[in-house]
PDB file of all heavy atoms in Angstrom:
ATOM      1  N   GLN A  54      11.437   9.430 -21.183  1.00 98.00           N
ATOM      2  CA  GLN A  54      10.212  10.045 -20.743  1.00 98.00           C
ATOM      3  C   GLN A  54       9.248   8.979 -20.249  1.00 98.00           C
ATOM      4  O   GLN A  54       8.615   9.110 -19.186  1.00 98.00           O
ATOM      5  CB  GLN A  54       9.504  10.841 -21.828  1.00 98.00           C
ATOM      6  CG  GLN A  54      10.262  12.058 -22.269  1.00 98.00           C
ATOM      7  CD  GLN A  54       9.539  12.762 -23.401  1.00 98.00           C
ATOM      8  OE1 GLN A  54       8.407  13.097 -23.279  1.00 98.00           O
ATOM      9  NE2 GLN A  54      10.150  12.833 -24.598  1.00 98.00           N
ATOM     10  N   ARG A  55       9.151   7.885 -21.043  1.00 98.00           N
ATOM     11  CA  ARG A  55       8.215   6.810 -20.655  1.00 98.00           C
ATOM     12  C   ARG A  55       8.660   6.095 -19.396  1.00 98.00           C
ATOM     13  O   ARG A  55       7.836   5.769 -18.550  1.00 98.00           O
ATOM     14  CB  ARG A  55       8.077   5.780 -21.824  1.00 98.00           C
ATOM     15  CG  ARG A  55       7.384   6.304 -23.029  1.00 98.00           C
ATOM     16  CD  ARG A  55       7.426   5.264 -24.144  1.00 98.00           C
ATOM     17  NE  ARG A  55       6.710   5.754 -25.319  1.00 98.00           N
ATOM     18  CZ  ARG A  55       7.052   5.509 -26.530  1.00 98.00           C
ATOM     19  NH1 ARG A  55       8.147   4.761 -26.759  1.00 98.00           N
ATOM     20  NH2 ARG A  55       6.375   6.007 -27.583  1.00 98.00           N
ATOM     21  N   LEU A  56       9.998   5.936 -19.271  1.00 97.00           N
ATOM     22  CA  LEU A  56      10.486   5.272 -18.091  1.00 97.00           C
ATOM     23  C   LEU A  56      10.251   6.030 -16.854  1.00 97.00           C
ATOM     24  O   LEU A  56       9.775   5.532 -15.839  1.00 97.00           O
ATOM     25  CB  LEU A  56      12.045   5.111 -18.264  1.00 97.00           C
ATOM     26  CG  LEU A  56      12.767   4.552 -17.010  1.00 97.00           C
ATOM     27  CD1 LEU A  56      12.627   2.988 -16.934  1.00 97.00           C
ATOM     28  CD2 LEU A  56      14.188   4.910 -16.989  1.00 97.00           C
ATOM     29  N   MET A  57      10.475   7.377 -16.908  1.00 95.00           N
ATOM     30  CA  MET A  57      10.279   8.264 -15.789  1.00 95.00           C
ATOM     31  C   MET A  57       8.757   8.351 -15.412  1.00 95.00           C
ATOM     32  O   MET A  57       8.379   8.241 -14.268  1.00 95.00           O
ATOM     33  CB  MET A  57      10.825   9.699 -16.043  1.00 95.00           C
ATOM     34  CG  MET A  57      12.289   9.691 -16.093  1.00 95.00           C
ATOM     35  SD  MET A  57      13.019  11.332 -16.252  1.00 95.00           S
ATOM     36  CE  MET A  57      12.743  11.567 -18.032  1.00 95.00           C
ATOM     37  N   ALA A  58       7.875   8.428 -16.434  1.00 96.00           N
ATOM     38  CA  ALA A  58       6.441   8.466 -16.122  1.00 96.00           C
ATOM     39  C   ALA A  58       5.943   7.160 -15.505  1.00 96.00           C
ATOM     40  O   ALA A  58       5.176   7.124 -14.623  1.00 96.00           O
ATOM     41  CB  ALA A  58       5.684   8.770 -17.474  1.00 96.00           C
ATOM     42  N   ASP A  59       6.463   6.014 -16.065  1.00 96.00           N
ATOM     43  CA  ASP A  59       6.035   4.760 -15.572  1.00 96.00           C
ATOM     44  C   ASP A  59       6.568   4.539 -14.104  1.00 96.00           C
ATOM     45  O   ASP A  59       5.779   4.095 -13.242  1.00 96.00           O
ATOM     46  CB  ASP A  59       6.602   3.656 -16.498  1.00 96.00           C
ATOM     47  CG  ASP A  59       6.132   2.351 -16.023  1.00 96.00           C
ATOM     48  OD1 ASP A  59       4.888   2.071 -15.973  1.00 96.00           O
ATOM     49  OD2 ASP A  59       6.978   1.410 -15.863  1.00 96.00           O
ATOM     50  N   ARG A  60       7.864   4.946 -13.854  1.00 93.00           N
ATOM     51  CA  ARG A  60       8.391   4.797 -12.544  1.00 93.00           C
ATOM     52  C   ARG A  60       7.577   5.616 -11.519  1.00 93.00           C
ATOM     53  O   ARG A  60       7.460   5.213 -10.324  1.00 93.00           O
ATOM     54  CB  ARG A  60       9.796   5.250 -12.530  1.00 93.00           C
ATOM     55  CG  ARG A  60      10.490   5.081 -11.232  1.00 93.00           C
ATOM     56  CD  ARG A  60      11.987   5.452 -11.381  1.00 93.00           C
ATOM     57  NE  ARG A  60      12.135   6.857 -11.764  1.00 93.00           N
ATOM     58  CZ  ARG A  60      13.241   7.358 -12.301  1.00 93.00           C
ATOM     59  NH1 ARG A  60      14.392   6.682 -12.297  1.00 93.00           N
ATOM     60  NH2 ARG A  60      13.266   8.628 -12.643  1.00 93.00           N
ATOM     61  N   ALA A  61       7.059   6.745 -11.987  1.00 93.00           N
ATOM     62  CA  ALA A  61       6.324   7.574 -11.029  1.00 93.00           C
ATOM     63  C   ALA A  61       4.850   7.196 -10.941  1.00 93.00           C
ATOM     64  O   ALA A  61       4.076   7.736 -10.131  1.00 93.00           O
ATOM     65  CB  ALA A  61       6.379   9.006 -11.464  1.00 93.00           C
ATOM     66  N   GLY A  62       4.451   6.183 -11.759  1.00 94.00           N
ATOM     67  CA  GLY A  62       3.053   5.774 -11.755  1.00 94.00           C
ATOM     68  C   GLY A  62       2.100   6.813 -12.243  1.00 94.00           C
ATOM     69  O   GLY A  62       0.971   6.905 -11.918  1.00 94.00           O
ATOM     70  N   SER A  63       2.670   7.645 -13.243  1.00 96.00           N
ATOM     71  CA  SER A  63       1.910   8.716 -13.750  1.00 96.00           C
ATOM     72  C   SER A  63       0.754   8.276 -14.710  1.00 96.00           C
ATOM     73  O   SER A  63       0.874   7.273 -15.415  1.00 96.00           O
ATOM     74  CB  SER A  63       2.831   9.624 -14.546  1.00 96.00           C
ATOM     75  OG  SER A  63       3.797  10.252 -13.743  1.00 96.00           O
ATOM     76  N   HIS A  64      -0.290   9.077 -14.714  1.00 96.00           N
ATOM     77  CA  HIS A  64      -1.307   8.949 -15.702  1.00 96.00           C
ATOM     78  C   HIS A  64      -0.689   9.651 -16.940  1.00 96.00           C
ATOM     79  O   HIS A  64      -0.417  10.867 -16.942  1.00 96.00           O
ATOM     80  CB  HIS A  64      -2.625   9.682 -15.346  1.00 96.00           C
ATOM     81  CG  HIS A  64      -3.106   9.227 -13.985  1.00 96.00           C
ATOM     82  ND1 HIS A  64      -3.982   8.138 -13.881  1.00 96.00           N
ATOM     83  CD2 HIS A  64      -2.913   9.689 -12.757  1.00 96.00           C
ATOM     84  CE1 HIS A  64      -4.227   7.961 -12.610  1.00 96.00           C
ATOM     85  NE2 HIS A  64      -3.651   8.891 -11.934  1.00 96.00           N
ATOM     86  N   THR A  65      -0.494   8.880 -18.050  1.00 97.00           N
ATOM     87  CA  THR A  65       0.385   9.399 -19.092  1.00 97.00           C
ATOM     88  C   THR A  65      -0.475   9.613 -20.371  1.00 97.00           C
ATOM     89  O   THR A  65      -1.309   8.761 -20.765  1.00 97.00           O
ATOM     90  CB  THR A  65       1.451   8.460 -19.440  1.00 97.00           C
ATOM     91  OG1 THR A  65       2.196   8.221 -18.205  1.00 97.00           O
ATOM     92  CG2 THR A  65       2.423   8.987 -20.410  1.00 97.00           C
ATOM     93  N   ARG A  66      -0.190  10.670 -21.075  1.00 96.00           N
ATOM     94  CA  ARG A  66      -0.686  10.974 -22.462  1.00 96.00           C
ATOM     95  C   ARG A  66       0.525  11.190 -23.300  1.00 96.00           C
ATOM     96  O   ARG A  66       1.487  11.845 -22.871  1.00 96.00           O
ATOM     97  CB  ARG A  66      -1.561  12.175 -22.490  1.00 96.00           C
ATOM     98  CG  ARG A  66      -2.901  12.011 -21.626  1.00 96.00           C
ATOM     99  CD  ARG A  66      -3.802  10.968 -22.361  1.00 96.00           C
ATOM    100  NE  ARG A  66      -4.950  10.768 -21.543  1.00 96.00           N
ATOM    101  CZ  ARG A  66      -5.118   9.684 -20.726  1.00 96.00           C
ATOM    102  NH1 ARG A  66      -4.226   8.828 -20.505  1.00 96.00           N
ATOM    103  NH2 ARG A  66      -6.254   9.536 -20.059  1.00 96.00           N
ATOM    104  N   GLU A  67       0.489  10.717 -24.518  1.00 97.00           N
ATOM    105  CA  GLU A  67       1.549  10.916 -25.430  1.00 97.00           C
ATOM    106  C   GLU A  67       1.124  11.776 -26.653  1.00 97.00           C
ATOM    107  O   GLU A  67       0.071  11.504 -27.152  1.00 97.00           O
ATOM    108  CB  GLU A  67       2.030   9.489 -25.878  1.00 97.00           C
ATOM    109  CG  GLU A  67       3.357   9.594 -26.618  1.00 97.00           C
ATOM    110  CD  GLU A  67       3.947   8.103 -26.724  1.00 97.00           C
ATOM    111  OE1 GLU A  67       4.359   7.666 -25.634  1.00 97.00           O
ATOM    112  OE2 GLU A  67       3.939   7.527 -27.807  1.00 97.00           O
ATOM    113  N   VAL A  68       1.933  12.681 -27.013  1.00 97.00           N
ATOM    114  CA  VAL A  68       1.579  13.558 -28.169  1.00 97.00           C
ATOM    115  C   VAL A  68       2.761  13.659 -29.120  1.00 97.00           C
ATOM    116  O   VAL A  68       3.957  13.557 -28.666  1.00 97.00           O
ATOM    117  CB  VAL A  68       1.149  14.934 -27.714  1.00 97.00           C
ATOM    118  CG1 VAL A  68      -0.153  15.010 -26.951  1.00 97.00           C
ATOM    119  CG2 VAL A  68       2.201  15.648 -26.955  1.00 97.00           C
ATOM    120  N   LYS A  69       2.489  13.841 -30.359  1.00 97.00           N
ATOM    121  CA  LYS A  69       3.524  14.116 -31.319  1.00 97.00           C
ATOM    122  C   LYS A  69       3.899  15.632 -31.206  1.00 97.00           C
ATOM    123  O   LYS A  69       3.235  16.511 -31.786  1.00 97.00           O
ATOM    124  CB  LYS A  69       3.015  13.844 -32.798  1.00 97.00           C
ATOM    125  CG  LYS A  69       2.790  12.346 -33.050  1.00 97.00           C
ATOM    126  CD  LYS A  69       2.286  12.154 -34.463  1.00 97.00           C
ATOM    127  CE  LYS A  69       1.922  10.660 -34.634  1.00 97.00           C
ATOM    128  NZ  LYS A  69       1.347  10.425 -35.948  1.00 97.00           N
TER     129      LYS A  69
END
Side-chain angles (χ1 to χ4, degrees):
Q54 294 177 58
R55 288 175 181 146
L56 175 82
M57 290 183 280
D59 185 55
R60 182 177 58 195
S63 298
H64 303 273
T65 306
R66 295 290 175 262
E67 193 164 288
V68 293
K69 292 180 183 176

